[in-house]
Amino acid sequence: MPGGKEIRQQFIDYFVKEHGHTFVPSSSVVPVDDPTLMFTNAGMNQFKDVFLGTGTRPYRRAVNSQKCIRVSGKHNDLEEVGRDTYHHTFFEMLGNWSFGDYYKAEAITWAWDLLTRVWGIEKARLHATVFAGDDKEGLEADEEAYRLWLEMTDIDPTHVHRFGKKDNFWMMGETGPCGPCTEIHIDRTPDKSGGKLINRGDPRVIEIWNLVFIQYNRDESGKLHLLPAKHVDTGMGFERITAILQGKDSNYDTDIFAPLIAAIGELTGKRYRGSLTDLVDIGFRVIADHIRMLTFAITDGALPGNKGRGSVVRSILRRAMRFGWEAFDRREPFLYRLVPVVVEHMGEAFPELKYQPQRVMDVIRREEEDFLRTIERGLRYFAQAVSRARPVSPELRAAEQIPEGIRGILSGKDVFELHTTYGFPPDMTRQMARERSLLVDEAEYARLMAEHEEKSRAQPVAQQVALHVHEPLPSTDDRAKWFGLTGQGTILGWIETNRFFTTGRLEARGEEASPVGLVLDRTCFYAEAGGQVGDCGYITTNTGTFEVTDTQWLGQTVVHLGTVTAGYIAPGQLARLQVDSIREFTRKNHTATHLLHWALRQVLGEHVEQRGSKVKPEGFTFDFSHVGPMRPEERMRVEELVNEKIYQDLPVTWRELPIEQARKLPGVRAFFGDKYGEVVRIVEIGDGFSREFCGGTHVDHTGQIGPFLILSEEGLGKGIRRVTCTTARQAVLAMQRYERLLGQLSAQLRCSADELPMRLEALQEEIKRLQQQLRRAATTDLNAAADRLLQQAEDYAGVKVIVGEMPSATEEQIRQQADRLRQKAGSAVVVLGWTDDTRVQLLAALTQDLVERGLHAGNLLRQVAPAVGGGGGGKPQFAVAGGREPAKLPEALQLARRLIHKYLTGA
């Protein structure tokens, strides 16, 4: 029985050694240059530019095992992970590709040969599906693939099936490359009778390999055009094929997962038995899957956070923790201890795992510690939410088509509260609800989240020009960008309305004209890349002037975005290029980022890695991996080191080398996940103390940078910091602003700049003393108000009913008064209300004897709080609630009196 490592290598060797493919390492699971993707979810992602016709590769046949994450969008099967034996958040996709080389015949023949000859899968168990056509779309059936299966393989002819667009037509998106596909399925039923179960979602008959034939391009109108070059894109789930070849019914029973299952057992003292219903066994599978996803995602730079990709990582981590809590009674961090197991067993195939495993462990451990502070309270809140779930009436069931097994609807407000207050991701709450036969009120939750995020939505949108072009574009020689601000080139055409025009005139259209994209054969303009913004400037011919407002890459083409401001521009004209001199300040800032990167590693440690940057003329931001803010002395030392290297006026040089030779240079910095060509440019400072892969523009000597200043520092998420910096004249202006501010403060506080810290400290002490006096006065007022309520309290057979309004105060102060009243009264029901600006709050407290008689503070407030437009609850002895209608507080207190009276007297 072959092991998983052997199976992966056999796949790669088959295509490399027998069919001349190039092995291409897996790309990062965090897409570097594709904003449409949250995570890499298929092997073809790194070749997307080739399929779009905007990029090329030095090979035409490729093979690899791509690490993939699928946790969102149409591929989101998160709720199924752990509950079955084959869904995963992280998986490997084995794939082979042809870029305009071989096509259907070879792809089908080789797939059949590998499965049946090399791996020895029983032919009688294999089925193939082909595209049956789609009359509505005007798509013909893939008769070629059907014929090839019968002619090129010895598959049973009755095992070739036709399916429609849903199953056998692949599209990259609404527009772009697409084509029919043929899928290979395996029948694992005992009597091989599973042909009728293909594409029915039955785990006994599953797809193992998808061969996509990319032959069309779909335009915005939906029309299909044949591509000039046809491609092959195949994908096979590594975990699934390993289970088949190892004779396992479950992916989790293979040697891919065995080390993790064993490690989880050692950590928890539990034994895995493979049940699909037992919570412990589900927990084993969830944690084994999720720790793989977390380890790879964090290694590649996706850190837990509150938005986007970071929120998904946090959600997966907390979902695993929830199973640790409920299935294994884990009350301390433990997931991080599984990271070394992943590294040990997958580090050979993916060496990046070995780079900083301790950092990955630290990130996970800190997240565990944070969530452990709220998970218990969150689970208690969830239990209360379940108890108040809205029952499903027959009318609602019929109207909403709610399945019979569902007994209630969890309110969107409770899901929102669990998310925002207790850190429970909505996916996790949905699963917990489903386990209790509940659905979630998705509409209410979505509305509350939309309101919650409303403030952050109003973001300005930069003017853009559509750069998706269906026809191939010429490549641009842009090496002149490294040698100066002027150059010459020939106008080749322009991009407008998703078309590339190579004839006619591009004329001035006035101030309101939309930008277009001008294309030349060569340019000295820098197209935005590597964090450095694109250049602006002018392109001039004998007949007109084109103002460049931005410069961008589109595949291998530099696109100059802007408008004609005078005359006209025409293809074939010789043009003079002038980059705006402001780029000189961008050069200074870009070289400063390299010095900063070096200085941060010197001061903070070798764990510091660049995670992003934005280099502009006025300054730059620099994102880096580090836990917690820099101390003042660390920040000062970083500034000192950078400025020292600037004062030394060190030479800044660059050279180009083959990438494998460049990677061997001592101390060279490259950024994992970035796409590099066969030849890379290395920028070196001084004797090579700073040495980085970089295609940006730089100064010739560090002395040209001028003074360097760190303006601010902030956190972007767990383990990621951002500094905003500036150099040259902007640094001087910033220092002048600080000087003016110090002068103003010194004048107002009547002291010298050196005396400011001592003067501020004295003022803070004075403020603290006055605040203490105010608190003592407020406590006296609260004591008096509480005593008045006690004097006015009604007495029901020795039980004091203390209900009334208190002066505005903090919840803690009101809580102290409630405790004081309970102690004074002996046996009492206390309900206090108070207002604070536009909010009203309620607090209920009972003595223990009344709790034992069945009175419940939380239930009492649950009935009272709606009177002030709010809600809340709590424990039998103590509860709090809030509302948005302060004017209705007297009405709510009167309702509390009536409810208490009814309970105590039975009337």
Side-chain angles (χ1 to χ4, degrees):
M1 180 177 70
K5 293 179 181 179
E6 185 181 356
I7 292 168
R8 183 194 295 114
Q9 196 58 49
Q10 286 174 342
F11 179 87
I12 294 168
D13 288 346
Y14 177 80
F15 285 99
V16 171
K17 296 179 179 179
E18 296 193 28
H19 299 294
H21 288 58
T22 296
F23 171 72
V24 180
S26 170
S27 63
S28 167
V29 295
V30 178
V32 174
D33 53 3
D34 189 346
T36 67
L37 276 179
M38 182 172 287
F39 292 102
T40 298
N41 60 16
M44 58 75 58
N45 291 160
Q46 68 169 306
F47 305 118
K48 186 175 178 179
D49 59 324
V50 179
F51 297 136
L52 287 169
T54 61
T56 60
R57 296 293 186 276
Y59 43 81
R60 300 186 70 185
R61 299 180 178 190
V63 62
N64 82 352
S65 181
Q66 172 65 48
K67 48 191 181 183
C68 300
I69 292 176
R70 288 186 179 176
V71 286
S72 59
K74 68 179 182 179
H75 297 300
N76 185 7
D77 296 312
L78 179 58
E79 291 186 11
E80 304 303 323
V81 175
R83 302 198 169 276
D84 61 24
T85 61
Y86 53 91
H87 277 108
H88 302 291
T89 58
F90 171 87
F91 65 97
E92 291 181 58
M93 183 175 286
L94 303 172
N96 61 287
W97 292 269
S98 165
F99 307 126
D101 188 15
Y102 63 83
Y103 201 45
K104 295 180 183 179
E106 294 88 346
I108 290 172
T109 304
W110 296 341
W112 182 257
D113 182 54
L114 176 61
L115 292 174
T116 59
R117 178 182 65 83
V118 178
W119 282 339
I121 296 177
E122 187 180 354
K123 297 176 182 178
R125 292 196 176 276
L126 296 177
H127 292 251
T129 64
V130 298
F131 182 49
D134 189 302
D135 293 336
K136 183 179 178 182
E137 294 275 347
L139 292 169
E140 296 180 355
D142 192 354
E143 295 296 342
E144 181 184 7
Y146 185 87
R147 175 179 54 79
L148 288 169
W149 273 111
L150 300 182
E151 293 178 0
M152 305 296 290
T153 77
D154 55 352
I155 191 173
D156 183 337
T158 66
H159 285 197
V160 183
H161 313 271
R162 301 176 189 269
F163 282 87
K165 181 181 174 184
K166 175 178 177 290
D167 297 301
N168 281 86
F169 194 88
W170 178 88
M171 295 180 291
M172 182 180 289
E174 293 300 318
T175 62
C178 54
C181 62
T182 182
E183 296 181 339
I184 303 172
H185 298 249
I186 188 166
D187 176 5
R188 307 185 80 185
T189 59
D191 59 356
K192 307 173 193 173
S193 62
K196 59 183 178 295
L197 300 176
I198 292 173
N199 289 330
R200 295 291 185 88
D202 192 306
R204 295 171 297 173
V205 182
I206 55 176
E207 173 216 332
I208 57 174
W209 205 344
N210 187 13
L211 316 179
V212 179
F213 307 123
I214 302 174
Q215 62 190 66
Y216 299 112
N217 188 62
R218 185 186 294 275
D219 63 23
E220 284 79 2
S221 68
K223 188 176 180 181
L224 294 174
H225 307 275
L226 280 171
L227 289 169
K230 297 177 180 180
H231 311 295
V232 173
D233 164 27
T234 87
M236 173 164 53
F238 170 61
E239 291 79 5
R240 185 172 290 186
I241 192 64
T242 299
I244 291 167
L245 295 179
Q246 293 183 356
K248 306 294 185 182
D249 292 327
S250 166
N251 293 357
Y252 294 93
D253 291 338
T254 66
D255 67 341
I256 297 172
F257 285 95
L260 276 170
I261 297 292
I264 296 168
E266 291 177 10
L267 280 175
T268 62
K270 303 284 187 179
R271 183 180 175 188
Y272 179 64
R273 300 178 186 277
S275 167
L276 293 180
T277 56
D278 180 74
L279 185 64
V280 170
D281 287 341
I282 294 172
F284 265 100
R285 291 189 291 271
V286 166
I287 292 169
D289 172 89
H290 288 9
I291 195 61
R292 296 199 328 150
M293 182 273 189
L294 292 167
T295 302
F296 275 92
I298 295 170
T299 294
D300 284 1
L303 295 173
N306 293 325
K307 294 182 179 180
R309 188 179 292 128
S311 69
V312 174
V313 175
R314 177 167 287 164
S315 175
I316 296 298
L317 196 153
R318 292 185 172 183
R319 186 173 187 265
M321 284 186 65
R322 174 246 163 168
F323 277 94
W325 183 282
E326 293 192 331
F328 299 115
D329 298 320
R330 305 302 294 179
R331 300 295 184 263
E332 68 283 324
F334 77 101
L335 293 174
Y336 76 98
R337 296 169 63 183
L338 295 170
V339 171
V341 183
V342 179
V343 174
E344 179 183 354
H345 291 276
M346 302 192 73
E348 182 180 342
F350 304 101
E352 61 273 13
L353 291 175
K354 300 178 181 179
Y355 181 51
Q356 285 186 329
Q358 187 59 51
R359 173 180 165 273
V360 177
M361 293 173 68
D362 291 343
V363 169
I364 294 175
R365 179 178 50 77
R366 285 193 300 272
E367 277 290 310
E368 290 187 87
E369 290 169 347
D370 286 349
F371 193 42
L372 284 168
R373 297 188 185 103
T374 61
I375 188 171
E376 186 172 11
R377 289 188 292 120
L379 288 171
R380 282 202 303 268
Y381 184 93
F382 177 77
Q384 295 168 0
V386 169
S387 69
R388 55 178 174 262
R390 177 162 51 103
V392 178
S393 64
E395 296 78 15
L396 180 64
R397 191 180 301 278
E400 301 291 336
Q401 297 183 330
I402 297 174
E404 285 298 326
I406 300 300
R407 63 178 181 84
I409 309 292
L410 202 65
S411 80
K413 181 178 181 298
D414 283 328
V415 180
F416 173 78
E417 186 70 15
L418 282 164
H419 185 184
T420 56
T421 301
Y422 301 100
F424 278 40
D427 279 340
M428 189 171 91
T429 302
R430 289 186 190 100
Q431 176 160 351
M432 293 165 62
R434 193 181 74 167
E435 291 167 1
R436 292 155 178 83
S437 302
L438 300 173
L439 293 179
V440 165
D441 187 335
E442 300 286 357
E444 184 183 24
Y445 170 72
R447 177 179 60 79
L448 291 170
M449 280 304 297
E451 293 172 1
H452 182 66
E453 296 171 352
E454 187 173 355
K455 290 182 181 180
S456 62
R457 284 183 175 174
Q459 298 293 335
V461 179
Q463 186 181 34
Q464 296 180 350
V465 58
L467 290 181
H468 181 69
V469 183
H470 300 305
E471 58 261 48
L473 292 173
S475 59
T476 309
D477 178 359
D478 68 333
R479 290 179 59 83
K481 66 190 178 188
W482 294 324
F483 302 101
L485 300 178
T486 60
Q488 287 189 335
T490 301
I491 307 292
L492 299 181
W494 71 91
I495 300 169
E496 189 175 14
T497 61
N498 293 334
R499 293 180 58 197
F500 182 47
F501 295 88
T502 57
T503 59
R505 293 181 174 183
L506 181 59
E507 299 182 338
R509 301 172 185 172
E511 294 183 359
E512 302 301 319
S514 298
V516 299
L518 196 64
V519 177
L520 293 84
D521 64 337
R522 59 188 185 275
T523 184
C524 59
F525 279 74
Y526 184 89
E528 182 170 353
Q532 180 176 328
V533 298
D535 282 336
C536 54
Y538 292 91
I539 297 174
T540 307
T541 71
N542 291 333
T543 61
T545 299
F546 184 90
E547 182 178 1
V548 181
T549 56
D550 192 11
T551 311
Q552 297 285 330
W553 279 106
L554 183 58
Q556 304 299 311
T557 306
V558 174
V559 181
H560 307 80
L561 302 176
T563 56
V564 176
T565 56
Y568 69 88
I569 301 287
Q573 290 183 319
L574 184 66
R576 298 176 296 280
L577 286 69
Q578 177 65 58
V579 177
D580 194 304
S581 60
I582 200 168
R583 191 226 266 170
E584 291 301 298
F585 293 98
T586 306
R587 290 204 308 157
K588 298 174 189 290
N589 287 324
H590 201 149
T591 305
T593 66
H594 288 217
L595 292 175
L596 174 63
H597 193 186
W598 165 81
L600 287 168
R601 291 173 64 84
Q602 294 295 306
V603 175
L604 303 180
E606 291 297 307
H607 65 280
V608 170
E609 292 287 349
Q610 181 175 347
R611 292 299 183 187
S613 64
K614 192 72 171 180
V615 183
K616 301 179 180 180
E618 63 271 20
F620 64 91
T621 60
F622 188 89
D623 306 338
F624 61 98
S625 55
H626 185 60
V627 179
M630 288 189 282
R631 298 191 301 273
E633 60 270 23
E634 290 174 331
R635 176 169 163 172
M636 187 179 299
R637 182 57 180 154
V638 169
E639 282 187 337
E640 288 175 353
L641 287 175
V642 173
N643 281 304
E644 284 173 6
K645 294 300 183 184
I646 292 172
Y647 303 152
Q648 292 171 17
D649 197 25
L650 301 169
V652 180
T653 58
W654 60 270
R655 50 180 164 156
E656 291 179 288
L657 292 173
I659 189 167
E660 291 307 317
Q661 183 179 345
R663 289 188 189 277
K664 297 175 183 177
L665 291 173
V668 71
R669 312 298 305 166
F671 306 107
F672 181 77
D674 279 9
K675 286 184 178 178
Y676 297 112
E678 295 298 307
V679 176
V680 294
R681 181 173 181 256
I682 302 97
V683 174
E684 300 172 308
I685 302 176
D687 61 2
F689 70 88
S690 170
R691 183 177 281 140
E692 297 190 11
F693 287 13
C694 183
T697 60
H698 290 271
V699 297
D700 301 316
H701 291 264
T702 58
Q704 296 170 328
I705 297 173
F708 164 83
L709 190 64
I710 298 176
L711 299 175
S712 64
E713 181 189 359
E714 61 183 316
L716 297 185
K718 290 285 184 180
I720 297 293
R721 307 297 299 173
R722 168 175 289 175
V723 287
T724 300
C725 310
T726 192
T727 66
R729 66 181 182 186
Q730 291 297 328
V732 172
L733 290 172
M735 287 186 279
Q736 290 174 338
R737 286 195 300 271
Y738 294 155
E739 185 70 26
R740 285 195 300 271
L741 180 60
L742 280 174
Q744 291 169 0
L745 288 172
S746 297
Q748 289 176 0
L749 297 176
R750 298 176 183 176
C751 64
S752 68
D754 291 337
E755 293 171 334
L756 277 173
M758 188 165 50
R759 180 72 176 118
L760 288 172
E761 186 177 350
L763 286 173
Q764 288 173 331
E765 287 297 323
E766 179 67 11
I767 292 169
K768 188 184 299 182
R769 185 182 63 80
L770 292 172
Q771 286 175 334
Q772 289 173 347
Q773 291 179 1
L774 285 172
R775 277 196 294 270
R776 284 196 293 269
T779 300
T780 301
D781 290 344
L782 289 173
N783 287 343
D787 289 342
R788 281 195 298 272
L789 291 179
L790 178 59
Q791 292 170 5
Q792 299 165 4
E794 297 180 78
D795 191 300
Y796 292 86
V799 177
K800 294 287 187 182
V801 178
I802 307 168
V803 180
E805 184 173 353
M806 293 287 287
S808 179
T810 66
E811 182 182 314
E812 180 58 31
Q813 289 174 318
I814 300 296
R815 183 193 293 259
Q816 290 171 359
Q817 291 300 325
D819 289 340
R820 183 169 161 270
L821 288 172
R822 283 191 298 187
Q823 291 172 359
K824 279 192 169 188
S827 177
V829 181
V830 181
V831 178
L832 304 177
W834 70 102
T835 61
D836 182 11
D837 295 330
T838 59
R839 295 280 299 172
V840 59
Q841 291 180 273
L842 295 165
L843 179 150
L846 310 180
T847 50
Q848 183 61 32
D849 61 312
L850 296 180
V851 173
E852 293 171 357
R853 287 169 57 179
L855 199 58
H856 193 291
N859 292 341
L860 175 60
L861 282 196
R862 198 166 289 120
Q863 297 177 72
V864 174
V868 290
K875 297 180 180 180
Q877 272 193 306
F878 183 86
V880 292
R884 295 183 295 275
E885 301 180 51
K888 294 186 177 181
L889 177 57
E891 181 183 328
L893 295 174
Q894 189 57 39
L895 173 60
R897 290 189 186 95
R898 291 199 302 271
L899 292 170
I900 296 167
H901 174 81
K902 181 179 179 181
Y903 180 82
L904 293 176
T905 65

